[in-house]
Structures are given as C-alpha cells and as structure tokens.
Amino acid sequence: VSVLYCNSFKMAAAALTLLCSALAQPPTARYVAYIGTGGPDADGPHTGASDNSTVFVFRTTGQQGELQQAGEQKINGVPKWVAMTQHDHLIVTANTATEARLQSFSTGEDGTLEKITEPVSVKGVNCVHFCEAPGHIAAVSYTSGTVSVLPYNEETGVIEEAIFTVNHTGHGTDPRQASPHPHMIHPSTVDPSVLYSPDLGLDQVFQYKLATNGSLTQIATPATAYPGSGPRHYQESQQSKKMYVLNELKSTIGVYNVEGDKILAETDVLSTLENYTGFNKAAELINLNNEYLYVSNRGNNSITTFKLDAGGDLHFLCTTPSGGWTRSMSLTPDKQTLFALNQNENTVVSFRVDPTNGALHRTSFVANVPSPVTIAWKILKD
C-alpha cells in the first residue's frame, strides 16, 4: 500500500468532496460538549493561563465544526476525565493531590448540569479514566496503580465510594515505569462485564471479569507489549476481531488478535509517525467505523490517519497538523467532525471528516479553553 501524504491526499479528493457536499447536506444534529480541564503538561511548552478545576459546557451552533460556550461547572478537584453514561448522567473525576474521586451530575433536557452526588472516593490516587459497567463504575488510578469498582445506580445517577480494589504490582524498563500506571479501563465489545485495562508502567493489558457484587477476577494472563512501550489507550474491532493498543512511550500501535473475550499475543507493531525522530508522546486513539484509526501525537503535534483493511491490518495514510499538544480528541456522535483538545495551547479546534477517505480537513473554529484534556457528548432531543 503506497503512503499518501495529507496535502496530496486531500487535493485528490477535493472535487469529489465538494460534489458530495453540494448534492446532500444532512441536517446537523444538536449536541452538548462537556470539556474538562487538567492543567498543562510539563513535558511540552505551554502558554497562557491554565485551569484544572472546571468543566466547560458548549453547544453546537448548527454549523459543522462550531461550538458555543453555554456555561461552566466548577469542580472540587481535577476533572481529568469526563464521560456520559447510557442514562445521560455525566460523571467526572474530582481528584485531589492525595485522593482519586468521582462525582456525578444530571444533564437535563438542555444539557444543564445539576449535582447528584458529592465527590466519592475511588480509593486510589490520580484517577485518569473510568467506564460504565453493569451496575457499577470501574476506574483506574495512574499514580497508585489501582483498579477500583464503585456502585452506580443507573436510574438515579448516585455513585458510592469504591467497594473493591486491585493493586497492580511490578515495574517496566523505562524511567517512567518505576511502578504500575493503569491508564484506561473499558468493557469488551463481546461482554460488558469483561473489562480491559492497559497499564503504562507494566507494558501489559489486563483482562478482568466483573461480578455482580463488584469484585474483579483476572480471566487470562495479561497481554504484553514490547518492553518500554507504555500501553495507554486501546480500540477494539469486533468486525476483524483485533485490538489496537496505543503505546505512549514508544509512539507505536500494537495489534492483537482477540478470541471471544480473550486478548491473544501481539501480531504487529507500527509507528504512529514516519520519518520523525524528535520527542513525541502518543496520546489518544479513535476508531472510525472500523475503517480508519486516528492517533494524536504530542511533540510532533499532529493526528495520524491509518486505514484498516478488510482483515483489520493497519496502513499508514498521512499526518495532519493538530494545532498543538493534543492530549485528547473525540468524534461527534454523528462521526462527521473531530474535535482536538490542545492542552498546552489552551485551544479546542475542529476537523471535518471526509467519509470517502477518512481525511481530516481543519475548519476555522478555535475555542479558547484553558488546559482542555477530556470531552464527552450529550445528544439533545429535537
């Protein structure tokens, strides 16, 4: 497969894209975006004011790629990760320097936030990710190396403090791997009670089974990455039965086969960048319809696009400048627009997604948000 660089890649498809846009412009759905702040990243240059205690509320305007601020919610802690549940509750981290905590909010018909619970303890330090699981919230704490389970009432949105914890042990080979650092937890596409958790400090992806009482049991030996890779986030393709693990420290993607709910051995490793030798930390990974993967690069300050073939193998297409130190990025629920959160530049920018080839086209939109690190979406009803 030949490598296509983004400028020529986009120019070749420009005429077709314009024609498709002229023939049919679907109505733009209405969304609310909740953007959490986390302070600047010390590994990269940063400018302007910073913030680590606010969730900013934005609404779409009707113009693709544009948001308008509609409010903000102060958090008694650091909202390093925010996520919507299936019952439209917004859950945010409310970390202090010594304690990881979660807090829940109702979102109302118009997306307005109303507090449901005060922050409750995750029984770890520095929670960086969590997910909804049957009757519970599963969370990982980076600094303490802890995986926790908290009761969650799906109807009321009430969260209670953690009732079960697992402490990872060991270390890796990189200076940043002196201890365990779980960085993500998410359910399997096959079974929502099976949870996968990449650990950046151990070069492993753990595989847990969640019981109805909230306990966790390892169901298989953790999948391993090349020493010093630093697994951070992952995406799974049920269609091709593969898992794509983004390694922060090596700026690589590890490809694994998945059999049922078990992760098998790594089969391939690809760099997130080509012909680049400078400092870089890979950050976020997005799967678009099992056809394209997008990876954000901090240092190179770009988004790399990969094509997934019918068998699930990855092929490098191009890199697109992201506008800054992109810690997080997210597709709108309709998958027509990608928003990039540039943590150290205090900006949120957007890209139109070309459905014919996955190319990203930067819009003119820029929102000034201090230290944006995480985003979640609510679909508004007409």
Side-chain angles (χ1 to χ4, degrees), residues 95 186 213 248 275 331 356 361:
N95 297 326
H186 198 267
N213 66 358
E248 175 178 334
N275 304 315
L331 291 167
T356 64
H361 301 271

Side-chain angles (χ1 to χ4, degrees), residues 217-374:
T217 304
Q218 285 196 57
I219 59 172
T221 302
T224 59
Y226 187 82
S229 294
R232 177 185 173 94
H233 285 182
Y234 79 86
Q235 289 287 338
E236 187 182 0
S237 172
Q238 190 173 6
Q239 178 178 311
S240 62
K241 296 181 173 57
K242 291 185 183 294
M243 174 179 284
Y244 308 96
V245 178
L246 182 63
N247 299 309
E248 175 178 334
L249 303 182
K250 294 289 187 185
S251 294
T252 58
I253 300 176
V255 182
Y256 299 77
N257 288 327
V258 179
E259 187 175 277
D261 56 16
K262 305 295 193 303
I263 309 169
L264 304 181
E266 190 175 54
T267 61
D268 196 9
V269 180
L270 299 88
S271 175
T272 67
L273 294 166
E274 290 200 342
N275 304 315
Y276 179 77
T277 58
F279 175 80
N280 191 70
K281 297 195 303 182
E284 190 59 275
L285 181 70
I286 294 177
N287 179 356
L288 174 61
N289 301 328
N290 295 315
E291 295 178 350
Y292 301 97
L293 284 185
Y294 301 112
V295 176
S296 68
N297 299 292
R298 297 170 294 177
N300 184 258
N301 292 353
S302 65
I303 299 171
T304 301
T305 303
F306 290 89
K307 172 68 177 174
L308 278 70
D309 65 22
D313 292 329
L314 294 179
H315 304 277
F316 180 94
L317 290 182
C318 62
T319 58
T320 302
S322 65
W325 194 266
T326 307
R327 178 184 173 94
S328 185
M329 57 184 181
S330 178
L331 291 167
T332 51
D334 61 11
K335 301 182 180 181
Q336 295 182 11
T337 310
L338 184 147
F339 283 86
L341 279 59
N342 296 322
Q343 178 181 8
N344 283 4
E345 292 73 24
N346 301 329
T347 60
V348 177
V349 301
S350 66
F351 299 81
R352 290 182 294 106
V353 179
D354 190 325
T356 64
N357 54 31
L360 299 177
H361 301 271
R362 176 77 179 265
T363 74
S364 60
F365 171 79
V366 179
N368 295 312
V369 180
S371 314
V373 297
T374 178

